[in-house]
Amino acid sequence: MEKKTYPLYYAGKKQRFARSVVVDNLVFLSGCSGRTIETGEVSSDNVKEQMIVALDKIRGGLEEAGSSMENIVKTVIYLKNLEDYPTMRKTELEYYQKHAPLLVEDPPASMFMQVISLSKPNMLIEIDVVAITP
């Protein structure tokens, strides 16, 4: 099996973990959160805004790996506050409608988990994704 690793940079500094790893035709992205690539800081204290930043990172990571949002087959979503669940799912649907309309009709397998905390106190969301390459 062939493996290719794409590094992750926050604020121009290479991180100790990958942005994505591709093995054969599978793409794995982990830890896609509301932290911006430009600064490495959490974008806001708003779950909708953090969700959009996370989904933008997923879209960019998939494109860098030669895939796209429409090739997502599985998501795992970690959410800090259960009361944010409806906003999280609504934001996800709106994002798919705009950037990956095929996922609206043929959604990926999805798992959701409420967590006590994430890697930064003001982080509200984190997403792991498995996709395929065409």
Side-chain angles (χ1 to χ4, degrees):
M1 287 195 273
E2 184 179 335
K3 174 183 161 186
K4 180 159 174 89
T5 301
Y6 294 88
L8 175 64
Y9 293 88
Y10 280 128
K13 294 180 183 175
K14 186 176 179 181
Q15 302 300 297
R16 297 183 56 98
F17 43 88
R19 177 175 180 153
S20 68
V21 175
V22 179
V23 179
D24 288 338
N25 72 326
L26 294 174
V27 183
F28 301 89
L29 290 96
S30 291
C32 299
S33 68
R35 292 176 65 189
T36 67
I37 295 293
E38 297 78 19
T39 66
E41 297 302 318
V42 177
S43 60
S44 76
D45 291 328
N46 177 291
V47 73
K48 180 176 182 161
E49 291 175 24
Q50 286 191 32
M51 185 75 177
I52 291 168
V53 169
L55 290 166
D56 283 345
K57 286 166 54 177
I58 290 167
R59 187 164 47 105
L62 289 172
E63 289 172 359
E64 178 183 50
S67 189
S68 71
M69 294 285 293
E70 293 187 333
N71 291 319
I72 294 174
V73 295
K74 182 177 181 183
T75 62
V76 178
I77 302 172
Y78 304 94
L79 184 67
K80 190 172 176 182
N81 302 317
L82 194 55
E83 63 270 11
D84 289 332
Y85 183 85
T87 301
M88 178 266 299
R89 285 296 186 195
K90 182 177 185 238
T91 304
E92 177 187 38
L93 176 62
E94 289 169 351
Y95 196 92
Y96 288 169
Q97 288 170 330
K98 183 175 181 180
H99 297 286
L102 292 179
L103 292 183
V104 176
E105 294 296 320
D106 191 16
S110 182
M111 208 272 297
F112 153 78
M113 182 183 301
Q114 181 184 15
V115 294
I116 293 172
S117 66
L118 293 163
S119 64
K120 291 189 174 251
N122 59 343
M123 195 178 295
L124 303 173
I125 188 105
E126 197 165 306
I127 308 171
D128 289 353
V129 169
V130 178
I132 57 172
T133 57

